[in-house]
Amino acid sequence: MTVHEKFLALGTHYGKVYLLDVQGNITQKFDVSPVKINQISLDESGEHMGVCSEDGKVQVFGLYSAEEFHETFDCPIKIVAVHPHFVRSHFKQFVTGGKKLLLYERGWMNRWKPSVLHEGEGNIRNVKWRGHLIAWANNMGVKILDMISKQRITNVPRDDISLRPDMYPCSLCWKDNLTLIIGWGNSVKICSVKERHASEMRDLPNRYVEIVFQFDTEFYISGLAPLCDQLVILSYVKEISEKTEVECCARPRLDIVQPLPESCEEISSDALTVRGFQENECRDYHLEYSEGESLFYIISPRDVVVAKERDQDDHIDWLLEKKKYEEALMAAEISQKTIKKHKILDIGLAYINHLVEKGEHDLAARKCQKILGKNTELWEFEVYKFKEIGQLKAISRYLPRRDPVLKPLIYEMVLHEFLESDYEGFATLIKEWPGDLYNNTIIVQAVVDHLKKDPQNRTLLRTLAELYTYDQRYGRALEIYLTLRHKDVFQLIHKHNLFSSIKDKIVLLMDFDSEKAVDMLLDNEDKISIDRVVEELENRPELQHVYLHKLFKRDHHKGQRYHEKQISLYAEYDRPNLLPFLRDSTHCPLEKALEICQQRNFVEETVYLLSRMGNSRSALKMIMEELQDVDKAIEFAKEQDDGELWEDLILYSIDKPPFITGLLNNIGTHVDPILLIHRIKEGMEIPNLRDSLVKILQDYNLQILLREGCKKILVADSLSLLKKMHRTQMKGVLVDEENICESCLSPILPADASKSFNVVVFHCRHMFHKECLPVSNTVSSVQFCNICSAKHRGPGSAILEMKK
């Protein structure tokens, strides 16, 4: 068999030659000989064929023309090879091989002239013609002939001469015009034809052959073919039978190897099943290849096996066969532009089915997102499939929510599934899914039905509130949130402006979170008035106090009408803030406050109210009698700064030695201590009298020092200011055309500056024409500014006015 890019030529044992297309269909048939065909050769164009047979016949003819050549020899012709460019008129050549290697050339008058290229080394077993080089193999080895110089340029002897050349034939193939691959027995040689340097030629051919790679294989070689920088080897295998322990023929192997300088690396190996392989010999197999499409043909007596490079489709087939769906899907995505047999979606669906069969439902559901994409029909199909196996929950998290959107029935089906068995999962879906994915009314009714069985279920109540919110039934949602005391209630009110709905629910809001509720009510008092809030809280005075207290903190005047009420509220619920309230409030009725404080015996508050109402003596008396706190009494007297109050304090303390000590320690800076000391009865024991007297003397010395220091500062400041005034008065005064006479209000400078004129400028910056000033009646010639003298102002005051 020989192979062309367009067709195959197959010779049989019965002398027939068939032309087949690449699918194996017979297109033409030639009866060449009654005995077996030994060799078929085609030129590169595929238009001419050479055939030789066992009976010694050689035919070369055109497949599409009447041109032909016949020759009969007296011995079997094993080999024929036509020139690769036989279609050209000046390349009408072919060679035959039997005992001799003969070259036939068409010459003058279209006659074919034979010439012997080689003989004497046994039968010619194989010939390969490429370009201007002919390689052939005989019993001794392989030769290469250069057709340009008609010289033989190499002889490569065979390695294992013990093998019969007719049983283990030589395999030859040209990788390119200068590289020959030789396989014989179990030895492989790769030869490269090179140009010889001019200085080395002498009587040698201008080309030579170098063996660049050489290695041995484990099996006998039946055929060779190049594959990029690798080799495809068809191997004949023998093995020992386990039953009979006799050597027998095994299935042939097709190996891909990577040549190395001294060995080879096996890339892949496939055992081929052909009919009758048990009876076949090494010579019964042959390997041909099509360079254009990287197709390889393994020929055996009964079968032709076509091999081709695995493409991505083949790789995906293999992955799917091994159930490696994840890798198959990844490979298809990477090569989606080149694969022809497979579709990413089909692989993905098979992967999902595989995961479901394995029970990995969550992973299968997660893969749906990537595989199904925006295909709503497939999504719905998968959801129903998950429903059939009871795994709707697994796919619920991965259902599309925006682009695309499935039928509402799909989402409702999933929600019903959760509602029957998992309230928390149902609540999570309601929170995560947009409300427009499903029919809200149907789901609300379903939740209400379940609440009839379990009315206090907080999860269902919270979810129902969210559903009411989606449905814009905010009033109902608010009721549920308040019942549940849910943290989102305030956010719901603000977001949907539900202040009209909470006017009768203020107590519930305050009970839930008084701080947030009060802040919200105060921030929106234009929507819920202060009066309405106070009225709603009438029966809950403790909450009423919280509201009014915060209102007072924000603004002392807004709730002034409730200040009287607040006195009782502070007294009852928040006494620490009562006194600050009484101090800050200007609308509080003092009599009412005093009455309440006296009833409750609030001394500090009563003292403050008495003092504020002008009854300082009663306040002081209460401090002394009720509190018995001399320091507080002294502090109170200091605040009032009333001499009579100090007198009352001294009179009250004169018979109480501890009070006298306190007065002596604190009175020195406000009242003359002598007044107190003169009133102390002789013989009265006063605790720490000496320390108190020492303190009085120290306070006096301190006052003297302070006064002296102040005097020094005053003198220094006066001197500094005097110097500054002197420097200021010594400075010149700018007089220009903008200045006017303060008396006649005309420009101070005359229009004609060459004429003499008199101007009087005072230190106060007021300016007058001299003739505009009144004549002084005094003997002194000193003049004063009429303006400043009338206003009793000093010099420089005009500057201050200008600054103002």
Side-chain angles (χ1 to χ4, degrees), residues 232-254:
V232 179
I233 301 177
L234 178 62
S235 302
Y236 172 68
V237 182
K238 285 189 175 183
E239 60 185 10
I240 305 297
S241 173
E242 294 180 359
K243 295 180 180 179
T244 62
E245 296 185 356
V246 178
E247 189 178 55
C248 60
C249 298
R251 292 184 300 166
R253 274 183 24 184
L254 190 67

Side-chain angles (χ1 to χ4, degrees), residues 11-27:
T12 71
H13 277 260
Y14 300 104
K16 307 291 190 295
V17 174
Y18 296 93
L19 297 188
L20 315 173
D21 61 18
V22 291
Q23 281 79 31
N25 302 310
I26 298 174
T27 59

Side-chain angles (χ1 to χ4, degrees), residues 427-531:
T428 302
L429 288 183
I430 293 297
K431 188 176 291 184
E432 292 178 354
W433 284 0
D436 56 356
L437 291 180
Y438 47 86
N439 190 324
N440 201 56
T441 306
I442 294 175
I443 303 302
V444 166
Q445 187 58 47
V447 175
V448 170
D449 292 342
H450 277 265
L451 277 171
K452 290 177 182 177
K453 305 172 190 175
D454 188 3
Q456 302 303 319
N457 191 292
R458 295 181 64 84
T459 302
L460 284 181
L461 286 170
R462 185 174 65 250
T463 309
L464 183 59
E466 291 180 9
L467 289 169
Y468 280 140
T469 303
Y470 294 150
D471 211 17
Q472 297 184 359
R473 290 188 273 181
Y474 302 118
R476 291 192 177 185
L478 187 60
E479 289 177 9
I480 296 174
Y481 278 135
L482 287 173
T483 304
L484 295 174
R485 304 171 73 88
H486 197 275
K487 60 186 175 72
D488 291 341
V489 66
F490 296 103
Q491 181 182 352
L492 182 71
I493 294 168
H494 277 292
K495 185 175 180 180
H496 301 291
N497 196 20
L498 303 180
F499 296 100
S500 58
S501 301
I502 64 168
K503 288 181 179 178
D504 57 347
K505 300 179 178 66
I506 293 173
V507 174
L508 287 173
L509 285 169
M510 294 283 286
D511 279 335
F512 173 36
D513 190 331
S514 59
E515 286 293 321
K516 282 188 177 180
V518 169
D519 286 337
M520 182 188 70
L521 292 169
L522 293 177
D523 291 339
N524 298 276
E525 62 181 79
D526 56 326
K527 298 166 185 172
I528 302 180
S529 66
I530 297 171
D531 296 339

Side-chain angles (χ1 to χ4, degrees), residues 58-69:
V58 175
Q59 294 185 32
V60 178
F61 55 92
L63 295 175
Y64 310 106
S65 65
E67 180 183 12
E68 59 180 326
F69 167 80

Side-chain angles (χ1 to χ4, degrees), residues 4 30 157 265 374 391 459 551 626 677 790:
H4 190 264
F30 302 95
E265 179 185 353
K374 298 182 180 182
Q391 291 295 330
T459 302
L551 174 64
E626 298 289 338
I677 293 171

Side-chain angles (χ1 to χ4, degrees), residues 82-295:
V82 299
H83 194 292
H85 303 296
F86 193 88
V87 70
R88 300 178 188 176
S89 60
H90 55 287
F91 286 139
K92 298 295 183 181
Q93 299 172 323
F94 65 90
V95 294
T96 63
K99 296 289 184 181
K100 304 175 182 178
L101 182 66
L102 295 175
L103 171 66
Y104 284 86
E105 298 178 274
R106 190 165 69 176
W108 188 65
M109 300 282 293
N110 286 335
R111 294 182 179 180
W112 292 90
K113 175 187 175 183
S115 59
V116 178
L117 297 179
H118 185 70
E119 63 179 329
E121 293 185 355
N123 287 334
I124 308 298
R125 303 288 178 182
N126 198 353
V127 174
K128 291 293 179 182
W129 195 336
R130 180 73 174 251
H132 300 294
L133 298 173
I134 299 176
W136 72 92
N138 56 28
N139 292 348
M140 304 302 294
V142 177
K143 281 76 175 170
I144 298 177
L145 179 75
D146 186 351
M147 288 297 292
I148 297 175
S149 62
K150 295 291 179 72
Q151 288 181 310
R152 197 170 59 192
I153 60 175
T154 190
N155 176 30
V156 181
R158 65 187 179 113
D159 294 336
D160 191 351
I161 59 175
S162 63
L163 297 175
R164 285 176 56 184
D166 59 331
M167 299 296 291
Y168 297 92
C170 176
S171 298
L172 299 175
C173 73
W174 287 95
K175 182 180 180 181
D176 53 46
N177 289 344
L178 297 174
T179 305
L180 177 67
I181 304 172
I182 304 170
W184 206 336
N186 62 351
S187 173
V188 176
K189 295 183 176 69
I190 301 177
C191 307
S192 179
V193 178
K194 299 184 178 182
E195 297 288 337
R196 199 183 299 275
H197 195 272
S199 61
E200 300 176 352
M201 281 187 185
R202 302 189 187 103
D203 297 329
L204 299 174
N206 59 352
R207 292 184 176 186
Y208 70 97
V209 175
E210 180 181 335
I211 298 175
V212 292
F213 290 103
Q214 180 175 349
F215 57 88
D216 294 334
T217 63
E218 297 178 0
F219 309 108
Y220 297 113
I221 298 168
S222 295
L224 285 171
L227 177 64
C228 297
D229 61 339
Q230 299 169 341
L231 289 180
V232 179
I233 301 177
L234 178 62
S235 302
Y236 172 68
V237 182
K238 285 189 175 183
E239 60 185 10
I240 305 297
S241 173
E242 294 180 359
K243 295 180 180 179
T244 62
E245 296 185 356
V246 178
E247 189 178 55
C248 60
C249 298
R251 292 184 300 166
R253 274 183 24 184
L254 190 67
D255 300 333
I256 298 177
V257 299
Q258 177 69 56
L260 300 174
E262 299 296 332
S263 62
C264 66
E265 179 185 353
E266 186 178 276
I267 305 300
S268 71
S269 179
D270 290 291
L272 307 176
T273 300
V274 295
R275 287 179 294 176
F277 67 87
Q278 297 87 347
E279 292 83 27
N280 292 342
E281 299 290 342
C282 182
R283 64 183 177 180
D284 294 326
Y285 297 110
H286 191 54
L287 178 65
E288 286 289 339
Y289 71 100
S290 171
E291 295 185 23
E293 300 183 12
S294 293
L295 292 173

